[in-house]
């Protein structure tokens, strides 16, 4: 699942909402967080969307694995 803040969205909904936010704030910062169970392709899909929307203030959250 994809979430915007805490709300589940489709990739199309994410694109529409981020586009609206970017119209208000051209320097819109976005932080992407994914758990270890998600398919890497899904993260790439979201990153591709950021590129299409020209969102350049981008952060990736990672979490150290605990053994």
């Amino acid at each position: 699942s994809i979430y915007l803040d805490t709300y589940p969205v489709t990739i199309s909904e994410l694109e529409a909402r981020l586009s609206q936010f970017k119209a208000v704030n051209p320097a819109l910062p976005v932080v992407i967080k994914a758990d270890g169970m998600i398919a890497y392709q899904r993260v790439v899909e979201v990153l591709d969307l950021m590129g299409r929307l020209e969102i350049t203030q981008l952060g990736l959250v990672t979490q150290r694995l605990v053994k």
Side-chain angles (χ1 to χ4, degrees):
S1 297
I2 298 174
Y3 291 82
L4 179 59
D5 292 324
T6 58
Y7 303 100
V9 294
T10 65
I11 195 75
S12 298
E13 291 170 331
L14 181 64
E15 183 170 9
R17 291 184 186 176
L18 289 178
S19 182
Q20 291 171 345
F21 294 154
K22 185 162 172 48
V24 173
N25 179 6
L28 177 70
V30 173
V31 176
I32 297 173
K33 179 181 178 184
D35 67 31
M37 304 306 277
I38 192 166
Y40 188 72
Q41 180 59 38
R42 196 66 163 160
V43 175
V44 170
E45 184 179 1
V46 172
L47 290 172
D48 285 345
L49 172 60
M50 298 303 116
R52 285 195 308 275
L53 294 176
E54 298 180 1
I55 294 174
T56 58
Q57 300 297 316
L58 188 61
L60 298 173
V61 175
T62 60
Q63 186 175 38
R64 183 176 298 172
L65 293 176
V66 179
K67 294 181 180 184

Coordinates of all heavy atoms in Angstrom, one line a residue:
S1 N 0.8 -1.2 0.0 CA 0.0 0.0 0.0 C 0.9 1.2 0.0 O 2.0 1.2 0.5 CB -0.9 0.0 1.2 OG -1.8 -1.1 1.2
I2 N 0.4 2.3 -0.6 CA 1.0 3.6 -0.6 C 0.2 4.5 0.3 O -1.0 4.5 0.3 CB 1.1 4.2 -2.0 CG1 1.9 3.3 -2.9 CG2 1.7 5.6 -2.0 CD1 1.9 3.7 -4.4
Y3 N 0.9 5.3 1.1 CA 0.3 6.2 2.0 C 0.8 7.6 1.8 O 2.0 7.8 1.5 CB 0.5 5.8 3.5 CG -0.2 4.6 3.9 CD1 0.4 3.3 3.7 CD2 -1.4 4.6 4.6 CE1 -0.3 2.2 4.0 CE2 -2.0 3.5 5.0 CZ -1.5 2.3 4.7 OH -2.1 1.1 5.1
L4 N -0.1 8.6 1.9 CA 0.3 10.0 1.9 C 0.0 10.5 3.3 O -1.2 10.5 3.7 CB -0.4 10.8 0.8 CG -0.1 12.3 0.8 CD1 1.4 12.5 0.5 CD2 -0.9 12.9 -0.3
D5 N 1.0 10.8 4.1 CA 0.9 11.0 5.5 C 0.4 9.6 6.1 O 1.1 8.7 5.9 CB 0.0 12.2 5.8 CG 0.6 13.5 5.5 OD1 1.9 13.6 5.6 OD2 -0.1 14.4 5.0
T6 N -0.8 9.6 6.6 CA -1.3 8.3 7.1 C -2.5 7.8 6.4 O -3.1 6.9 6.8 CB -1.7 8.5 8.6 OG1 -2.7 9.5 8.7 CG2 -0.5 8.9 9.5
Y7 N -2.7 8.4 5.2 CA -3.9 8.0 4.4 C -3.5 7.1 3.2 O -2.7 7.5 2.4 CB -4.7 9.2 3.9 CG -5.1 10.1 5.0 CD1 -4.3 11.3 5.4 CD2 -6.2 9.9 5.8 CE1 -4.7 12.1 6.4 CE2 -6.5 10.7 6.9 CZ -5.8 11.8 7.2 OH -6.1 12.6 8.2
P8 N -4.2 6.0 3.0 CA -3.8 5.1 1.9 C -4.3 5.8 0.6 O -5.4 6.4 0.5 CB -4.6 3.8 2.1 CG -5.6 4.2 3.2 CD -5.2 5.4 3.9
V9 N -3.5 5.8 -0.5 CA -3.8 6.3 -1.8 C -3.3 5.4 -2.9 O -2.4 4.6 -2.7 CB -3.1 7.7 -1.9 CG1 -3.7 8.8 -1.0 CG2 -1.6 7.7 -1.8
T10 N -3.9 5.6 -4.0 CA -3.4 4.9 -5.2 C -2.3 5.7 -5.8 O -2.1 6.9 -5.4 CB -4.5 4.7 -6.3 OG1 -4.9 6.1 -6.7 CG2 -5.7 4.0 -5.7
I11 N -1.5 5.2 -6.7 CA -0.4 6.0 -7.3 C -1.0 7.2 -8.1 O -0.4 8.3 -8.1 CB 0.5 5.1 -8.2 CG1 1.8 5.8 -8.6 CG2 -0.3 4.7 -9.5 CD1 2.8 5.8 -7.5
S12 N -2.2 7.0 -8.7 CA -2.8 8.2 -9.3 C -3.3 9.2 -8.4 O -3.1 10.4 -8.6 CB -4.1 7.7 -10.1 OG -3.7 6.8 -11.1
E13 N -3.8 8.8 -7.2 CA -4.2 9.8 -6.2 C -3.0 10.5 -5.6 O -3.0 11.7 -5.4 CB -5.0 9.1 -5.1 CG -6.3 8.6 -5.5 CD -7.0 7.8 -4.4 OE1 -6.3 7.1 -3.7 OE2 -8.2 7.7 -4.4
L14 N -1.9 9.8 -5.4 CA -0.6 10.4 -5.0 C -0.1 11.4 -5.9 O 0.2 12.5 -5.5 CB 0.4 9.3 -4.8 CG 1.8 9.7 -4.2 CD1 1.6 10.3 -2.8 CD2 2.8 8.6 -4.3
E15 N -0.2 11.1 -7.2 CA 0.3 12.0 -8.2 C -0.6 13.3 -8.2 O 0.0 14.4 -8.2 CB 0.2 11.4 -9.6 CG 0.8 12.3 -10.7 CD 1.0 11.6 -12.0 OE1 0.5 10.5 -12.2 OE2 1.5 12.3 -12.9
A16 N -1.9 13.2 -8.1 CA -2.8 14.3 -8.1 C -2.6 15.2 -6.9 O -2.5 16.4 -7.0 CB -4.2 13.9 -8.2
R17 N -2.4 14.6 -5.8 CA -2.3 15.4 -4.5 C -0.9 16.0 -4.4 O -0.8 17.2 -4.1 CB -2.5 14.5 -3.3 CG -4.0 14.1 -3.2 CD -4.2 13.3 -2.0 NE -5.6 12.8 -2.0 CZ -6.1 12.0 -1.0 NH1 -5.4 11.6 0.0 NH2 -7.4 11.6 -1.1
L18 N 0.1 15.3 -4.8 CA 1.5 15.9 -4.8 C 1.6 17.1 -5.8 O 2.2 18.1 -5.6 CB 2.5 14.9 -5.0 CG 2.8 13.9 -3.9 CD1 3.9 12.9 -4.3 CD2 3.2 14.6 -2.6
S19 N 0.9 16.9 -6.9 CA 0.9 17.9 -8.0 C 0.2 19.2 -7.4 O 0.7 20.3 -7.6 CB 0.1 17.5 -9.2 OG 0.1 18.4 -10.2
Q20 N -0.9 19.0 -6.7 CA -1.5 20.2 -6.0 C -0.6 20.8 -5.0 O -0.5 22.1 -4.9 CB -2.8 19.7 -5.4 CG -3.9 19.3 -6.3 CD -5.1 18.7 -5.6 OE1 -5.0 18.3 -4.4 NE2 -6.2 18.5 -6.3
F21 N 0.0 20.0 -4.2 CA 0.9 20.6 -3.1 C 2.1 21.3 -3.8 O 2.5 22.4 -3.3 CB 1.4 19.5 -2.2 CG 0.4 18.8 -1.4 CD1 0.6 17.5 -1.0 CD2 -0.8 19.4 -1.0 CE1 -0.3 16.8 -0.2 CE2 -1.7 18.7 -0.2 CZ -1.5 17.4 0.2
K22 N 2.6 20.8 -4.9 CA 3.7 21.4 -5.5 C 3.3 22.7 -6.2 O 4.1 23.6 -6.3 CB 4.3 20.5 -6.6 CG 5.6 21.0 -7.2 CD 6.4 20.0 -7.9 CE 7.6 20.5 -8.7 NZ 8.4 21.5 -8.0
A23 N 2.1 22.8 -6.6 CA 1.6 24.1 -7.2 C 1.6 25.2 -6.1 O 1.9 26.4 -6.5 CB 0.2 23.9 -7.8
V24 N 1.4 24.8 -4.9 CA 1.4 25.8 -3.8 C 2.8 26.1 -3.3 O 3.2 27.2 -3.0 CB 0.5 25.3 -2.6 CG1 0.6 26.2 -1.4 CG2 -1.0 25.2 -3.1
N25 N 3.6 25.0 -3.3 CA 5.0 25.1 -2.8 C 5.9 24.4 -3.8 O 6.1 23.2 -3.7 CB 5.1 24.4 -1.4 CG 6.5 24.5 -0.9 OD1 7.4 25.1 -1.4 ND2 6.7 23.8 0.3
P26 N 6.5 25.2 -4.7 CA 7.4 24.6 -5.7 C 8.6 23.9 -5.2 O 9.1 23.0 -5.8 CB 7.8 25.8 -6.6 CG 6.8 26.8 -6.4 CD 6.3 26.6 -5.0
A27 N 9.0 24.2 -3.9 CA 10.1 23.5 -3.3 C 9.6 22.4 -2.3 O 10.3 22.1 -1.3 CB 11.0 24.5 -2.6
L28 N 8.5 21.8 -2.7 CA 7.9 20.8 -1.8 C 8.8 19.7 -1.5 O 9.4 19.0 -2.3 CB 6.7 20.2 -2.6 CG 5.9 19.1 -1.9 CD1 5.2 19.6 -0.7 CD2 5.0 18.4 -2.9
P29 N 9.1 19.5 -0.2 CA 9.9 18.4 0.3 C 9.1 17.1 0.4 O 7.9 17.2 0.9 CB 10.5 18.9 1.6 CG 9.4 19.8 2.1 CD 8.8 20.4 1.0
V30 N 9.6 16.0 0.0 CA 8.9 14.7 0.2 C 9.9 13.7 0.8 O 11.1 13.7 0.4 CB 8.5 14.2 -1.2 CG1 7.9 12.8 -1.1 CG2 7.4 15.1 -1.8
V31 N 9.4 13.0 1.8 CA 10.2 11.9 2.4 C 9.5 10.6 2.1 O 8.3 10.4 2.3 CB 10.3 12.1 3.9 CG1 11.0 11.0 4.6 CG2 11.0 13.4 4.2
I32 N 10.3 9.7 1.6 CA 9.7 8.3 1.2 C 10.3 7.3 2.3 O 11.5 7.3 2.5 CB 10.2 7.9 -0.2 CG1 9.6 8.9 -1.2 CG2 9.8 6.5 -0.5 CD1 10.1 8.6 -2.6
K33 N 9.3 6.6 2.8 CA 9.7 5.5 3.8 C 9.1 4.2 3.3 O 7.9 4.2 3.0 CB 9.2 5.9 5.1 CG 9.5 4.9 6.2 CD 8.9 5.3 7.5 CE 9.2 4.3 8.6 NZ 8.6 4.6 9.9
A34 N 9.8 3.2 3.2 CA 9.3 1.9 2.8 C 9.8 0.8 3.8 O 10.9 0.9 4.2 CB 9.8 1.5 1.4
D35 N 8.9 -0.1 4.1 CA 9.4 -1.2 4.9 C 10.1 -2.3 4.1 O 10.1 -2.3 2.9 CB 8.2 -1.8 5.8 CG 7.2 -2.5 4.9 OD1 7.6 -3.1 3.9 OD2 6.0 -2.6 5.3
G36 N 10.8 -3.2 4.8 CA 11.6 -4.2 4.1 C 10.8 -5.2 3.3 O 11.4 -6.0 2.6
M37 N 9.5 -5.2 3.5 CA 8.7 -6.3 2.8 C 8.2 -5.8 1.5 O 7.6 -6.6 0.7 CB 7.5 -6.6 3.7 CG 7.9 -7.1 5.1 SD 9.1 -8.5 5.1 CE 8.0 -9.8 4.9
I38 N 8.3 -4.5 1.2 CA 7.8 -4.0 -0.1 C 8.7 -4.4 -1.3 O 9.9 -4.5 -1.1 CB 7.6 -2.5 0.0 CG1 6.7 -2.0 -1.2 CG2 8.9 -1.8 0.0 CD1 6.2 -0.6 -1.0
A39 N 8.0 -4.6 -2.4 CA 8.8 -4.9 -3.6 C 9.5 -3.7 -4.0 O 9.0 -2.6 -4.1 CB 7.8 -5.4 -4.7
Y40 N 10.8 -3.8 -4.4 CA 11.6 -2.7 -4.8 C 11.0 -1.9 -5.9 O 11.1 -0.7 -6.0 CB 13.0 -3.2 -5.2 CG 14.0 -2.2 -5.4 CD1 14.5 -1.4 -4.3 CD2 14.5 -1.9 -6.7 CE1 15.5 -0.4 -4.6 CE2 15.4 -0.9 -6.9 CZ 15.9 -0.2 -5.8 OH 16.8 0.8 -6.1
Q41 N 10.3 -2.6 -6.8 CA 9.7 -2.0 -8.0 C 8.7 -0.9 -7.6 O 8.5 0.1 -8.2 CB 9.0 -3.0 -8.9 CG 8.3 -2.5 -10.1 CD 9.3 -1.7 -11.0 OE1 10.4 -2.0 -11.2 NE2 8.8 -0.6 -11.6
R42 N 8.0 -1.2 -6.5 CA 7.0 -0.2 -6.0 C 7.7 1.1 -5.6 O 7.2 2.2 -5.8 CB 6.3 -0.8 -4.8 CG 5.0 -0.1 -4.5 CD 4.0 -0.2 -5.6 NE 2.7 0.1 -5.1 CZ 1.7 0.4 -5.8 NH1 1.8 0.5 -7.1 NH2 0.5 0.7 -5.3
V43 N 8.9 1.0 -4.9 CA 9.6 2.2 -4.5 C 10.1 2.9 -5.8 O 10.0 4.1 -5.9 CB 10.8 1.8 -3.6 CG1 11.7 3.0 -3.3 CG2 10.4 1.1 -2.4
V44 N 10.5 2.2 -6.8 CA 11.0 2.8 -8.0 C 9.8 3.5 -8.7 O 10.0 4.6 -9.2 CB 11.6 1.7 -9.0 CG1 11.9 2.3 -10.4 CG2 12.9 1.2 -8.4
E45 N 8.7 3.0 -8.7 CA 7.5 3.6 -9.2 C 7.2 4.9 -8.6 O 6.9 5.9 -9.2 CB 6.3 2.6 -9.0 CG 5.0 3.1 -9.7 CD 3.8 2.1 -9.5 OE1 4.0 1.1 -8.8 OE2 2.7 2.4 -10.0
V46 N 7.3 5.0 -7.3 CA 7.1 6.3 -6.5 C 8.2 7.2 -6.9 O 8.0 8.4 -7.1 CB 7.0 6.0 -5.0 CG1 7.0 7.3 -4.2 CG2 5.8 5.2 -4.7
L47 N 9.5 6.8 -6.9 CA 10.6 7.6 -7.3 C 10.4 8.2 -8.7 O 10.7 9.4 -9.0 CB 11.9 6.9 -7.2 CG 12.4 6.6 -5.8 CD1 13.6 5.7 -5.8 CD2 12.7 7.9 -5.0
D48 N 9.9 7.4 -9.7 CA 9.7 7.8 -11.0 C 8.6 8.9 -11.0 O 8.7 9.9 -11.7 CB 9.2 6.7 -11.9 CG 10.3 5.8 -12.3 OD1 11.5 6.1 -12.2 OD2 10.0 4.6 -12.8
L49 N 7.6 8.8 -10.2 CA 6.6 9.8 -10.0 C 7.2 11.1 -9.5 O 6.8 12.2 -10.1 CB 5.5 9.3 -9.1 CG 4.4 10.4 -8.7 CD1 3.7 10.9 -9.9 CD2 3.5 9.8 -7.6
M50 N 8.1 11.0 -8.6 CA 8.7 12.3 -8.1 C 9.5 13.0 -9.2 O 9.5 14.2 -9.4 CB 9.7 12.0 -7.0 CG 9.1 11.3 -5.7 SD 7.8 12.3 -5.0 CE 6.5 11.2 -5.2
G51 N 10.1 12.2 -10.1 CA 10.8 12.7 -11.2 C 9.9 13.4 -12.2 O 10.1 14.5 -12.7
R52 N 8.7 12.8 -12.5 CA 7.8 13.4 -13.4 C 7.2 14.7 -12.9 O 6.9 15.6 -13.6 CB 6.6 12.4 -13.7 CG 6.9 11.3 -14.6 CD 5.7 10.6 -15.1 NE 4.8 10.1 -14.1 CZ 4.8 9.0 -13.4 NH1 5.8 8.2 -13.6 NH2 3.9 8.7 -12.6
L53 N 7.0 14.8 -11.6 CA 6.5 16.0 -10.9 C 7.6 17.0 -10.6 O 7.3 18.1 -10.1 CB 5.8 15.6 -9.6 CG 4.5 14.8 -9.8 CD1 3.9 14.4 -8.4 CD2 3.5 15.5 -10.6
E54 N 8.8 16.6 -11.0 CA 10.0 17.5 -10.7 C 10.1 17.9 -9.3 O 10.4 19.0 -8.9 CB 9.9 18.8 -11.6 CG 10.0 18.4 -13.1 CD 9.9 19.6 -14.0 OE1 9.9 20.8 -13.6 OE2 9.9 19.4 -15.3
I55 N 9.9 16.9 -8.4 CA 10.1 17.1 -7.0 C 11.6 16.7 -6.7 O 12.0 15.6 -6.9 CB 9.1 16.2 -6.2 CG1 7.7 16.7 -6.4 CG2 9.5 16.2 -4.7 CD1 6.6 15.9 -5.7
T56 N 12.3 17.7 -6.3 CA 13.8 17.5 -6.1 C 14.2 17.5 -4.7 O 15.3 17.1 -4.4 CB 14.6 18.6 -6.9 OG1 14.2 19.9 -6.4 CG2 14.3 18.5 -8.4
Q57 N 13.3 18.0 -3.8 CA 13.6 18.0 -2.4 C 13.1 16.6 -1.8 O 12.0 16.5 -1.4 CB 12.9 19.1 -1.6 CG 13.3 20.5 -2.1 CD 14.8 20.7 -1.9 OE1 15.3 20.5 -0.8 NE2 15.5 21.3 -2.8
L58 N 13.9 15.6 -2.0 CA 13.5 14.2 -1.7 C 14.4 13.6 -0.7 O 15.6 13.7 -0.8 CB 13.6 13.4 -3.0 CG 13.0 12.1 -3.1 CD1 11.5 12.0 -2.8 CD2 13.3 11.5 -4.5
G59 N 13.8 12.9 0.3 CA 14.5 12.2 1.3 C 14.0 10.7 1.3 O 12.9 10.4 1.0
L60 N 14.9 9.8 1.7 CA 14.6 8.4 1.8 C 14.9 8.0 3.3 O 16.0 8.3 3.8 CB 15.4 7.5 0.9 CG 15.2 7.8 -0.6 CD1 16.2 6.9 -1.4 CD2 13.8 7.4 -1.0
V61 N 13.9 7.4 3.9 CA 14.1 7.0 5.3 C 14.5 5.5 5.3 O 13.8 4.7 4.6 CB 12.8 7.2 6.1 CG1 13.0 6.6 7.5 CG2 12.5 8.7 6.2
T62 N 15.5 5.2 6.0 CA 15.9 3.8 6.1 C 15.9 3.4 7.6 O 16.0 4.3 8.4 CB 17.3 3.5 5.5 OG1 18.2 4.3 6.2 CG2 17.3 3.8 4.0
Q63 N 15.9 2.1 7.8 CA 15.9 1.6 9.2 C 16.9 0.5 9.3 O 17.0 -0.4 8.4 CB 14.5 1.1 9.6 CG 14.4 0.8 11.0 CD 13.0 0.4 11.4 OE1 12.3 -0.2 10.6 NE2 12.6 0.7 12.6
R64 N 17.8 0.6 10.2 CA 18.8 -0.4 10.4 C 18.1 -1.7 10.8 O 17.2 -1.7 11.7 CB 19.8 0.0 11.5 CG 20.9 -1.0 11.7 CD 21.9 -0.4 12.7 NE 22.5 0.8 12.2 CZ 23.2 1.6 12.8 NH1 23.6 1.3 14.1 NH2 23.7 2.7 12.3
L65 N 18.6 -2.8 10.2 CA 18.0 -4.1 10.6 C 18.6 -4.6 11.9 O 19.8 -4.5 12.2 CB 18.4 -5.2 9.5 CG 17.7 -5.0 8.2 CD1 18.3 -6.0 7.2 CD2 16.3 -5.1 8.3
V66 N 17.8 -5.1 12.8 CA 18.2 -5.6 14.1 C 18.3 -7.1 14.0 O 17.3 -7.7 13.6 CB 17.2 -5.1 15.2 CG1 17.6 -5.7 16.5 CG2 17.0 -3.6 15.2
K67 N 19.4 -7.6 14.4 CA 19.6 -9.0 14.3 C 19.5 -9.7 15.6 O 19.7 -9.1 16.6 CB 21.0 -9.4 13.7 CG 21.1 -8.9 12.2 CD 22.4 -9.3 11.7 CE 22.5 -8.8 10.2 NZ 23.7 -9.2 9.6

